[in-house]
Amino acid sequence: MEKIKMAIIGAGTWGTAHAAIFKGHYMAETLAVCDADKGKAERAAKEFGIPKVYTDYRAMLKEIPCDAVSIVTPDHLHADIAVACAEAGKHMLIEKPLATNKDDVYRIMDAVAKNKVRAMVDLHNRWNPPFALAKDAINRGELGTLHNGYFRLNDIKWVATDLLPWAASSSILWFLGSHSLDTLNWMFNSKVIRVYSVAGRGVLRELGVDTVDTYLTTLEYKNGCIAQMENGWITPNGNDNVNDMKCTILGDKGMISIDTSNHTMIRQYTDTKASVPDVLVRNSVHGMVKGFAYESIRSFIEKLASGEDFIVSMEDAAQVSFVILAIMESAQKRMPVEINI
């Protein structure tokens, strides 16, 4: 079988994750990596055996005969790159979110359709085993008719203050809220029609990152379901896990409760600290990257090769962006906002 020839735009923490997966996948081969920081691109190329390095993605698209591109840039920088990839006839795996304003969402969608390429947004919680099992139970009717849900997905402060140099240009809603919102949409199999959100800020501002600390949001769905969604990145750095993730889905015949923030499968201790190694989200086994956050990237390669539909559609991803924009508007106005898209 001929390999899917990949290129990667963005050689940061998650761009190197894409590179590691493609290196270990029998159906993928990475031809080039691009980053505005040439040093980052060169380090990724050396580590993963990528032959070509670029700092200009347009030059890379013109010169490299790749089939598809991973777009792994900061949240607010997807649109121009995605449109250029579509116009170059390249399929795309776009890190969430699809885009951070309506015009850019429409631009990307139009470019994908016009140029007849395929694209998927990496909303990877659909590959998270507890959530996938919950979705199967819902599909089997074990919860009956769904009525409400709760999703909490927070990060420790370190993510905004140290991991992401561009945190002030983004939002916890784009970074984590997109995952929680897409998961609720998927579970309820419906679209959000109205949101009401309240935001709090001040903690991160005092730490030098001028962005919202926390959003608390009520979601109303077309099918009558309601949900509460909590997203923040001011959880204490001493938390056992970078993420604090909890979810409850309630139906008239049953309920599912998920807590992936902590586990007791493995704990490591020294004289100065206790730690909980990651065995679910991002880990490795015998040198191969594992964990659900990687499975979506593998799935992109496999679905692209087979021609099957992606598990996350472009319409799914667009809805996430539109609802997050409505949440931000609601938090600013302190009023409910209707979603008429």
Coordinates of all heavy atoms in Angstrom, one line a residue, residues 9 45 70 72 95 135 245 296 310 314 318 320 327:
I9 N 2.8 21.7 9.6 CA 3.1 23.1 9.8 C 2.9 23.4 11.3 O 1.8 23.3 11.8 CB 2.1 24.0 8.9 CG1 2.3 23.7 7.5 CG2 2.3 25.5 9.2 CD1 1.3 24.4 6.5
A45 N 12.9 17.9 12.7 CA 13.3 17.1 11.5 C 14.4 16.1 11.9 O 14.4 15.0 11.5 CB 13.9 18.1 10.5
S70 N -0.7 18.5 8.2 CA -1.1 18.7 9.6 C -0.9 20.2 9.9 O 0.2 20.7 9.8 CB -0.4 17.8 10.6 OG -0.8 16.5 10.7
V72 N -0.7 22.6 12.8 CA -0.5 22.5 14.3 C 0.0 23.8 14.8 O 1.1 23.9 15.5 CB 0.4 21.3 14.7 CG1 0.1 20.9 16.1 CG2 0.2 20.1 13.7
E95 N -5.6 21.1 13.9 CA -5.8 21.1 15.3 C -6.9 22.0 15.7 O -7.2 23.0 15.1 CB -4.5 21.5 16.0 CG -3.5 20.4 16.3 CD -4.1 19.2 17.0 OE1 -5.0 19.4 17.9 OE2 -3.8 18.0 16.7
K135 N -20.8 6.8 24.9 CA -21.5 7.1 23.7 C -22.2 5.8 23.2 O -23.3 5.7 22.7 CB -20.6 7.6 22.6 CG -21.3 7.9 21.2 CD -22.4 8.9 21.3 CE -22.9 9.2 19.9 NZ -24.0 10.2 19.9
M245 N -10.8 16.8 34.6 CA -11.9 16.5 33.7 C -13.0 15.6 34.3 O -12.6 14.5 34.8 CB -11.4 15.8 32.4 CG -12.5 15.6 31.4 SD -12.0 14.6 29.9 CE -10.4 15.2 29.5
S296 N -6.8 10.0 17.4 CA -7.4 10.8 16.4 C -6.5 11.0 15.2 O -7.0 11.1 14.1 CB -7.9 12.1 17.0 OG -6.8 12.8 17.6
F310 N -14.6 10.8 8.1 CA -13.9 11.1 9.3 C -14.9 11.0 10.5 O -16.1 11.3 10.3 CB -13.2 12.5 9.3 CG -12.1 12.6 8.3 CD1 -12.1 13.7 7.4 CD2 -11.1 11.7 8.2 CE1 -11.1 13.8 6.4 CE2 -10.0 11.8 7.3 CZ -10.0 12.9 6.4
M314 N -16.5 18.3 9.3 CA -16.3 19.7 9.2 C -17.5 20.5 9.8 O -17.3 21.5 10.5 CB -16.0 20.1 7.8 CG -14.6 19.7 7.3 SD -13.3 20.6 8.1 CE -13.3 22.1 7.3
A318 N -17.3 23.2 12.8 CA -17.8 24.5 12.6 C -18.8 24.9 13.7 O -18.8 26.0 14.2 CB -18.5 24.6 11.2
V320 N -18.8 23.9 16.7 CA -18.0 24.2 17.9 C -17.5 25.6 17.9 O -17.7 26.3 18.9 CB -16.9 23.2 18.1 CG1 -15.9 23.6 19.1 CG2 -17.4 21.8 18.4
I327 N -20.7 31.9 23.3 CA -20.4 31.9 24.7 C -19.6 33.1 25.1 O -19.9 33.8 26.1 CB -19.6 30.6 25.1 CG1 -20.5 29.4 24.9 CG2 -19.1 30.7 26.5 CD1 -19.8 28.0 25.0

